[in-house]
Amino acid sequence: MTAYIDRVKNVRDYIALPLLYDHWYVAGLGEEFTHQPSAKTLLERSIVFYRTQSGELTALQNRCLHRSFPLAESTVVDDDIVCGYHGARYGPDGTIVRIPCQANTPNRALRTYPVHEIGPFVFIWMGDPASPDTDKLPDLPFLGDPGYRSMLGATDVAGSYLLMLENLNDLTHFAYLHRETFRFDHSFFDLPTTVEQRPEGIYCNRIDTDPRRATGALPPAIRERVRGRPAERWDGGMAVSPGVFQGYAPIIVGEPDTDDREVFETHIMHFLTPETATSAHYWWSVSNDFALDDDAFYAFMQGHLEKGFEEDRWAVDKMQRLLEVDTTPFKEMSVQGDKAGLLFRRRMVDWVNDEYGN
Ligand code: FES
Ligand SMILES: [Fe+2]
């Protein structure tokens, strides 16, 4: 195979990488989609979504084959969508069912997009609709598992999704950009860190073994119960696809290498879906397996996480604007903490070559 691209030399090359369609991305929360048609732009494709009477979600090209009227401005009749301009009627599989004023129907169809619901999220396959690769769907057993309680959030990013993914691969900003929210002190910079390329993604993790700091994110009642025991907290995760970062931040309490260990699970998912090359949809979920009925803790955490993730969104927005207005050629400086981010850039190049190479 001829490589489409060799490597990215700096952030400008990185955010200029072409969009990747042969992957699953989050299209939204399942509850957003009803029998009423609604449109979203994902990877520069306008897509109309609606549910059939049986609740099945349909995703079609949001563009009537006749004169490009947006089908989201149309009507769903039974399970079909009827164009609001001249009445062309399409089935949920995109085929033309009826054209007003003529007996025959052209042998054309709207493009369809396979969708797959996991827990509260809808995933969409942006590649060839005839061959969605279900092996590439992320494994998220905690979403929808009654043993976990999940907090969710959604926002839009006025910058490249790749800047946001780079932020997720970068642990060193925790103690600086998030110093007022997540309150990692500067000792966070010195924690033992693992960064490696794994077959399933780019893995990065830091482990804090200071029991006071490690248990700081637990609700007070649990913190009290585990006080005085050794504890460690992980902070990290894995970039598994161009649109999915799977964070994992368990707190492990108890003597190492014994059976007397309690694990408090926290799975932190980040889903980035480009809208265009310079804007993105962003969803996150944080799922814990502890304190499931502590509403006050979850209400506090929801606000806390929203504030923290908003800081990332803000930083990405500012960097994107700067890159757009200042075109001075420059040589980027990379530091030790960028290892995971640089590996991720390389993985992006591999995905680009998989899709665009020949
Ligand atoms: S634009 Fe849809 S039927 Fe004419
Ligand atoms: Fe962050």
Side-chain angles (χ1 to χ4, degrees):
M1 184 178 93
T2 312
Y4 173 86
I5 193 168
D6 181 17
R7 64 195 171 105
V8 291
K9 291 190 202 71
N10 61 40
V11 69
R12 211 177 271 290
D13 303 337
Y14 172 61
I15 62 172
L17 289 172
L19 296 173
L20 294 170
Y21 291 87
D22 290 343
H23 295 271
W24 294 91
Y25 293 87
V26 164
L29 295 171
E31 64 183 24
E32 288 176 52
F33 304 110
T34 66
H35 197 52
Q36 293 301 320
S38 59
K40 290 197 184 208
T41 303
L42 309 176
L43 285 80
E44 298 180 349
R45 305 276 183 270
S46 183
I47 301 171
V48 60
F49 296 86
Y50 67 93
R51 288 191 189 273
T52 61
Q53 291 163 102
S54 65
E56 194 116 346
L57 184 59
T58 298
L60 301 168
Q61 140 193 359
N62 181 33
R63 183 171 183 168
C64 181
L65 294 171
H66 177 224
R67 288 292 180 267
S68 295
F69 188 76
L71 291 168
E73 308 300 328
S74 304
T75 317
V76 172
V77 178
D78 299 329
D79 284 348
D80 299 340
I81 191 159
V82 181
C83 177
Y85 201 2
H86 314 98
R89 179 168 177 149
Y90 301 90
D93 61 355
T95 52
I96 302 173
V97 177
R98 196 174 79 88
I99 300 283
C101 320
Q102 68 179 54
N104 62 326
T105 52
N107 187 23
R108 296 271 309 271
L110 298 170
R111 185 193 163 137
T112 59
Y113 291 87
V115 290
H116 190 95
E117 301 198 39
I118 302 180
F121 294 103
V122 172
F123 285 82
I124 187 164
W125 173 258
M126 297 300 295
D128 181 353
S131 52
D133 186 347
T134 49
D135 290 346
K136 286 186 175 175
L137 275 166
D139 186 24
L140 309 169
F142 41 88
L143 288 174
D145 180 335
Y148 286 84
R149 181 158 170 176
S150 295
M151 295 160 277
L152 306 174
T155 187
D156 289 323
V157 181
S160 164
Y161 76 116
L162 292 173
L163 292 177
M164 201 70 189
L165 281 160
E166 188 149 283
N167 167 288
L168 295 166
N169 278 287
D170 162 22
L171 298 175
T172 57
H173 79 282
F174 282 29
Y176 210 82
L177 181 65
H178 300 308
R179 63 189 175 277
E180 301 299 330
T181 44
F182 297 152
R183 295 189 185 278
F184 290 94
D185 61 34
H186 276 73
S187 59
F188 188 75
F189 290 119
D190 303 323
L191 297 176
T193 304
T194 309
V195 176
E196 59 197 24
Q197 180 137 223
R198 295 186 175 177
E200 59 277 28
I202 306 302
Y203 176 84
C204 56
N205 192 34
R206 270 183 183 193
I207 299 181
D208 192 348
T209 54
D210 177 313
R212 190 186 49 84
R213 286 199 308 257
T215 58
L218 289 170
I222 299 183
R223 223 160 46 214
E224 198 51 44
R225 186 162 65 69
V226 301
R227 204 203 315 229
R229 297 169 68 193
E232 64 185 49
R233 179 195 157 104
W234 298 17
D235 274 293
M238 190 145 56
V240 297
S241 81
V244 179
F245 185 90
Q246 189 152 5
Y248 186 50
I251 295 165
I252 305 166
V253 179
E255 259 340 301
D257 305 318
T258 67
D259 291 341
D260 178 34
R261 299 204 98 188
E262 258 181 291
V263 181
F264 299 94
E265 298 274 1
T266 298
H267 295 274
I268 306 165
M269 296 302 307
H270 300 270
F271 304 111
L272 270 311
T273 307
E275 178 190 46
T276 67
T278 55
S279 61
H281 306 284
Y282 175 30
W283 292 268
W284 56 263
S285 67
V286 176
S287 308
N288 294 330
D289 72 344
F290 53 85
L292 301 187
D293 50 9
D294 188 341
D295 293 340
F297 171 71
Y298 281 90
F300 166 77
M301 284 305 289
Q302 177 81 32
H304 184 64
L305 293 163
E306 279 172 8
K307 202 156 168 257
F309 297 149
E310 166 60 21
E311 290 163 347
D312 297 310
R313 196 203 58 73
W314 172 84
V316 163
D317 184 356
K318 296 291 177 198
M319 289 187 287
Q320 179 75 43
R321 291 286 83 73
L322 181 75
L323 288 167
E324 281 171 8
V325 297
D326 183 342
T327 58
T328 319
F330 79 113
K331 190 166 163 32
E332 213 170 73
M333 169 182 79
S334 290
V335 298
Q336 216 170 333
D338 296 322
K339 189 172 171 196
L342 293 173
L343 286 174
F344 182 72
R345 288 185 184 185
R346 207 178 299 160
R347 180 64 60 101
M348 276 299 302
V349 168
D350 291 344
W351 281 320
V352 168
N353 286 328
D354 285 349
E355 191 163 323
Y356 293 90
N358 51 49

